[in-house]
Amino acid sequence: MKQKIVPRGTMLAALDIGSHKNACFIGRVVDDQGGVEVLGVGYQASQGIKSGTVIDIDSADQAIRQTVHTAENMASAIMKGFPLRDVIVNVPGTQTQSHNVQITVDIDGQVITENDISRALVKAQNQVITPNTELIHTMPVHCRVDGHEGIRDPQGMMGQSMEVDVHMVQGDIGPLQNMANCVERSHLDISALCSSAYASGLACLVEDEMNLGCTVIDMGAGVTSFAVFQGGAMIYSDSIPLGGWHVTNDIARGLTCPNNDAERLKTLYGSAMVTSSDESELIDVPQLGEIDEHMPNHVPRSLLIGIIQPRLEEILEMVRSKLDESGYGKTVGRRVVLTGGASQLPGMRDLAQMILDKQVRLGRPIRLSGLPDAVSGPAFATAAGLLTYAASHHHEMPAEIIASVDNGSLFGRFKTWWRENW
Ligand SMILES: Nc1ncnc2c1ncn2[C@@H]1O[C@H](COP(=O)(O)OP(=O)(O)OP(=O)(O)O)[C@@H](O)[C@H]1O
Ligand SMILES: [Mg+2]
């Protein structure tokens, strides 16, 4: 279905609240295809977030505030001193559920309009709305008119009835309210929410991958989120509450060294798969509580990798089994794009290829212009995708869909909720 692009010149801001780091990107829409030029970026270690969920509002709020200020300062010349007013924020996969429903609407021989599609989407939303969840995405995936398949955009066609397969993502209200609370303390409104995995897919996948079928896997610090795309839309998403932080923690326990050293050893000497040369290479491991840093333990590199590999295998096996259970594992293409900070270990691509039995490539943000090198890596896929979502996918927001078919009570309910909660 047709994309709606926000007008050229619109300023947008995205905030990715992660378990390892927060990132804020400020950008401006520069063309009529939804291209975004990045004008300001800020990122720093997050605090008070575990597995994507706020567990300490005060420290999370401080880290978010500093991240946003850094981005604002960088973009200040273009923003002419005006502070940011609203941001689009990610929702981690650990707080979302993905649903697919099939909806039929009567057309009665008339021409199908945008309103008919919105009617179908609202009907779908009504089926899944519950008091403890908030709808985050509503997307039409496939359309059939009088049983005819393969229709990309039914607008303008005539028929008796239209069937729409609708994909929806819902978020748990409690964690969302805590996150909104943190953002609000930075004097920002939330203009939209977007699932982390969806944003990463929008940032890293090329159009053919989205159309033909592809799974994007974002391995972060506390969450591994994944989303399946087909026919240009996201059709399924899920997550595992494990990521790079768990790998680091395993190293700290396995080699009895402080967490900071474990993180350093992982990024300097780590790898996703052991090779024969790793046996002979020795690395220095600072010992827990040892004051004399000249007395490190010498261990073979293979010991370090022997700790890393099983955890990564566990995460990838869990992703595989969730994909298989969903029914999309075998049916949707053989293509996987791996992104997120934890995808950067050498050998990750080969390990993922072996365990998922798919063709794997590493992904990083490809759609934004002017992205500084420091934030162009896989850890920034979600932040980059949030800007793309805001520029060209905002019509998938449940609030906009409801607003486009003002059927009274439901819109009123949503408006009240929105006002009270954000
Ligand atoms: N060069 C590297 N090699 C291996 N791992 C790395 C590298 N750089 C970063 N990481 C790991 O990536 C993880 C952080 O990834 P990312 O920034 O995508 O997480 P996040 O978005 O903050 O967290 P989440 O999405 O889980 O809430 C950390 O566990 C870190 O150890
Ligand atoms: Mg992340």
Side-chain angles (χ1 to χ4, degrees):
M1 258 138 277
K2 271 196 203 91
Q3 273 189 358
K4 288 183 193 155
I5 312 287
V6 300
R8 199 191 281 221
T10 307
M11 296 286 290
L12 303 166
L15 178 62
D16 171 17
I17 304 173
S19 318
H20 185 74
K21 53 99 193 53
N22 296 320
C24 177
F25 286 6
I26 299 174
R28 182 168 54 186
V29 180
V30 286
D31 57 34
D32 300 329
Q33 284 77 50
V36 178
E37 178 191 17
V38 176
L39 304 170
V41 298
Y43 62 98
Q44 72 163 61
S46 63
Q47 284 162 32
I49 312 282
K50 193 164 186 215
S51 290
T53 302
V54 177
I55 53 161
D56 177 344
I57 292 189
D58 285 337
S59 40
D61 155 44
Q62 268 187 23
I64 289 172
R65 205 178 293 209
Q66 284 166 13
T67 308
V68 171
H69 279 167
T70 312
E72 272 178 326
N73 285 342
M74 189 170 158
S76 64
I78 289 149
M79 293 174 72
K80 300 193 175 69
F82 286 107
L84 268 189
R85 288 230 302 273
D86 45 43
V87 282
I88 169 164
V89 182
N90 69 309
V91 183
T94 40
Q95 297 165 14
T96 60
Q97 303 90 44
S98 143
H99 304 274
N100 285 306
V101 298
Q102 200 180 75
I103 298 293
T104 306
V105 287
D106 290 333
I107 306 297
D108 298 329
Q110 304 293 311
V111 173
I112 298 172
T113 62
E114 194 179 342
N115 194 50
D116 293 318
I117 299 166
S118 299
R119 267 200 302 141
L121 299 180
V122 169
K123 213 167 159 184
Q125 292 185 168
N126 273 333
Q127 287 192 5
V128 300
I129 286 178
T130 65
N132 298 324
T133 57
E134 164 63 9
L135 265 174
I136 295 168
H137 298 293
T138 306
M139 314 169 185
V141 176
H142 295 120
C143 249
R144 285 171 293 279
V145 177
D146 296 340
H148 297 292
E149 296 273 355
I151 297 166
R152 284 236 62 163
D153 185 1
Q155 281 185 62
M157 294 179 71
M158 292 173 93
Q160 291 302 321
S161 76
M162 173 176 68
E163 269 175 20
V164 188
D165 297 336
V166 183
H167 179 65
M168 281 167 291
V169 179
Q170 269 178 304
D172 303 330
I173 214 113
L176 279 177
Q177 277 170 333
N178 287 330
M179 181 271 291
N181 213 339
C182 286
V183 176
E184 201 176 68
R185 286 193 192 190
S186 300
H187 308 291
L188 291 170
D189 289 332
I190 298 176
S191 57
L193 297 169
C194 178
S195 124
S196 300
Y198 187 40
S200 297
L202 292 178
C204 301
L205 303 190
V206 297
E207 243 162 67
D208 278 349
E209 287 171 331
M210 285 193 204
N211 286 329
L212 298 172
C214 181
T215 304
V216 63
I217 303 176
D218 182 317
M219 287 186 98
V223 189
T224 296
S225 323
F226 49 100
V228 177
F229 286 71
Q230 198 179 45
M234 175 168 78
I235 56 172
Y236 168 75
S237 63
D238 207 338
S239 71
I240 312 284
L242 297 172
W245 182 87
H246 299 85
V247 175
T248 303
N249 200 43
D250 289 348
I251 297 171
R253 282 162 183 252
L255 300 180
T256 46
C257 67
N259 254 61
N260 285 348
D261 290 310
E263 179 75 22
R264 192 178 53 83
L265 290 171
K266 179 176 83 169
T267 41
L268 275 182
Y269 308 111
S271 174
M273 288 170 96
V274 184
T275 60
S276 52
S277 65
D278 298 327
E279 200 58 56
S280 51
E281 193 181 335
L282 291 179
I283 56 171
D284 293 347
V285 180
Q287 288 302 283
L288 209 53
E290 189 69 69
I291 297 162
D292 185 356
E293 58 187 46
H294 301 295
M295 295 282 290
N297 215 2
H298 303 290
V299 302
R301 188 172 173 222
S302 58
L303 189 65
L304 171 72
I305 302 173
I307 295 171
I308 298 173
Q309 186 170 346
R311 180 62 94 171
L312 293 175
E313 282 174 354
E314 179 196 11
I315 296 172
L316 291 165
E317 274 162 12
M318 287 169 85
V319 171
R320 186 187 60 196
S321 69
K322 284 214 172 193
L323 282 170
D324 287 347
E325 274 167 34
S326 73
Y328 296 112
K330 300 254 178 328
T331 52
V332 178
R334 293 201 59 238
R335 187 88 170 151
V336 165
V337 173
L338 200 56
T339 190
S343 69
Q344 295 174 96
L345 276 176
M348 207 48 222
R349 184 172 158 267
D350 292 338
L351 186 71
Q353 202 143 296
M354 196 174 80
I355 292 176
L356 301 171
D357 188 26
K358 303 244 186 203
Q359 197 188 67
V360 181
R361 77 167 174 92
L362 299 178
R364 53 175 60 230
I366 52 170
R367 294 227 148 69
L368 305 180
S369 58
L371 200 58
D373 282 350
V375 292
S376 65
F380 296 93
T382 301
L386 290 175
L387 281 186
T388 301
Y389 179 75
S392 44
H393 292 261
H394 59 102
H395 53 283
E396 293 162 2
M397 279 170 59
E400 291 216 6
I401 292 164
I402 293 171
S404 68
V405 181
D406 189 350
N407 62 355
S409 63
L410 184 62
F411 184 43
R413 209 168 86 202
F414 193 89
K415 268 204 303 204
T416 314
W417 193 91
W418 189 255
R419 217 178 21 244
E420 282 170 3
N421 292 281
W422 306 116

